[in-house]
Structure formats: C-alpha cells, structure tokens
Amino acid sequence: MTTPLSSTVPRIAREVSVASSRWLPRLLLGTALNAVAWVSAWTENGPLAHYSFFPLWLGFTLVVDALCEMRSGTSLWRRGAAQFVALFWVSAPFWWYFEQLNKRVDNWHYILWKPMGTVEYFLTSSLAFSTVIPAVFAVTELVRTFWHTDDTPHPSPVLPWVVAWRWIGFGVVTLTLSLLFPRQFFPFLWVSLCLILSPINGAYGEASVIAWGRAGAWRAIVRLMSAGLICGFFWEMWNYPSIPKWYYTVPYVGFGKIFEMPVLGYSGYFPFALEVFTVYGFARLLTRRWQFFPDEYVRV
C-alpha cells in the first residue's frame, strides 16, 4: 500500500525540524560568540577586545560540533555534554606543558595588552589553553564525515611492551635533545610527548597512533593531522591582528611567514594533533576505572 504524499511530506518536515532543533541552537550560539569575539579582537573594541580568545574558540568549536551533528547525527556534545566540558579541563594542563618547555626552546613569545600579575596571567591563559583539545577533536570529527571509508581498528590493537619500551626510550631521547640542544632539536618538542605516552596507551589497550601505524590503519592518523593543520590556520589567522598575540623566533626556518607563523612551521601542526589525541588517550587510561570517557567518545 502506497503512503499518500500528503501525509509523507509533513512527517518528513517534522523529523527534519526535530533533528535540527538538536544542533541549531549550538550553531547559532557558536556563530554569535565567534562573530562578536572576532570583531572585538581585530578592532580592539568592545568588552571582548583583549579577552577574545576563549569565546572565539568556544564559538568555533560549537559551530563545528553542530555541523558534525547536522551531517552525521552525532557529535562530541551529543554523545556526552559532561565529557565535552571535561575536554576543556584536560586541554589547559596539556598546553601548559608546552609553555614550560618553551622556557627552554624559546620559540614563541606573547605580546600582552597590559602587565598582568601571576594569578591573572595564569587564569586568563588557562582559559585560552582549555580550547585546544576540543577544537582539534571537533574538526577531526567534521573531517571524518567527508570520508566514506574507515580502517580504524576497534578495539585498538594492544602494543607489546617490548615494542612500547623502544618507543618510550626514543621519546625520552628526543625530549632530552630538545632541552639540551634547543636550537638544533626544537622540532622534537612536537613529537616527544606522543612518542612517550602513545606506547603506554597502546600497551594498556587504549587507542594509540603508534599501534594504529603498526597495524596499517592510517586514515584516522591522516584525519587527525588534517584537523591539526586546519586548526593551525585559524589559530594563526585570528592571532595575527589581535592583542594579546604571539609571535615566533624559530631558528633556521623563520622565513616565508603566513601570518606570524613561518610556512615550514605549519608542519608542526601535524604531529601536534597526534599529541592531542595521545593525551586524550592517556586521560582515558588514568580515568578508566570510572569509565568517564566511553569507548569511541572521541571519533577520529
């Protein structure tokens, strides 16, 4: 029996309306936050003129997350609002780790709009740093919606400890070299954390880019690196005319700048995205007994 068109059209319209009501508020809120913060940052006018980074990137992440749900029916927020918020808490100490290393390698510097005390600087910086991991994961998932094939193994293969220790040792060596000889080995800054923690994740059965690579599962790794580069472009673009802002003094490759970043420096966003995923996996490992982050909460 054929369903009359007169009843089918309203039903489809209702389904579309219900579906859009789940992601549309996030899309509108994110767009508004991003637009206001963007204009404030570049014109240095308004209440967000010098505090634009967090609302700018929160808005960006909400927009991307809403687009993910629009395209695929799911997203980080939809799978768990508490976990979505927790990613911001994981992100801040993650970037503070790089800030501490930068005291030695001295690759980037900040221009502030006023002198800040220790507490104010820590709080405002932590708020800005908290957006890094959510943004990378939201973009990765959006990139994923355009892929029609996936070779990511579920569950992730377990990395033998004999293999894991070799990678950990290599990671310790690269980290040590970047600290002892920062002018020559500063690029290791962006790979050492992954080389140390990813084998640990893999040995305990958590998702590990090293274990995926050994298994020949490269698509998720490529998606992560693509998302890192996309986020990197927006980080550098929005930073360029803003105050506060950062600039770079990178040995040997400080030429051909796109915004403040030397063109070769953008390659650092590839391994950086892998470190983002590695730190998330390590956070999952540390909180495994509470099962706070469900399996496949982050989809790459």
Side-chain angles (χ1 to χ4, degrees), residues 23 26-28 30-31 34 56-72 74-77 84 134-146 227 230-231 234 238:
W23 53 260
R26 252 172 299 139
L27 181 65
L28 295 176
T31 301
N34 186 269
L56 181 71
W57 278 93
L58 175 60
F60 174 86
T61 304
L62 291 175
V63 167
V64 174
D65 187 77
L67 292 176
C68 287
E69 187 169 353
M70 180 185 72
R71 288 184 53 82
S72 66
T74 186
S75 70
L76 290 167
W77 175 269
F84 181 81
V136 171
F137 284 159
V139 173
T140 303
E141 188 161 342
L142 182 60
V143 171
R144 190 175 189 264
T145 66
F146 292 93
I230 292 169
C231 287
F234 283 102
W238 280 323

Side-chain angles (χ1 to χ4, degrees), residues 53 108-111 235-236 239 244-248 260:
F53 195 96
W108 64 90
H109 316 267
Y110 295 103
I111 300 175
W235 275 317
E236 303 302 336
N239 168 68
K245 67 178 295 181
W246 62 85
Y247 67 95
Y248 300 94
E260 291 289 354

Side-chain angles (χ1 to χ4, degrees), residues 117-128:
T118 302
V119 174
E120 182 183 7
Y121 181 77
F122 175 78
L123 292 176
T124 55
S125 298
S126 296
L127 198 59

Side-chain angles (χ1 to χ4, degrees), residues 37 85 149 207 263 298:
V85 173
T149 56
V263 63
V298 170

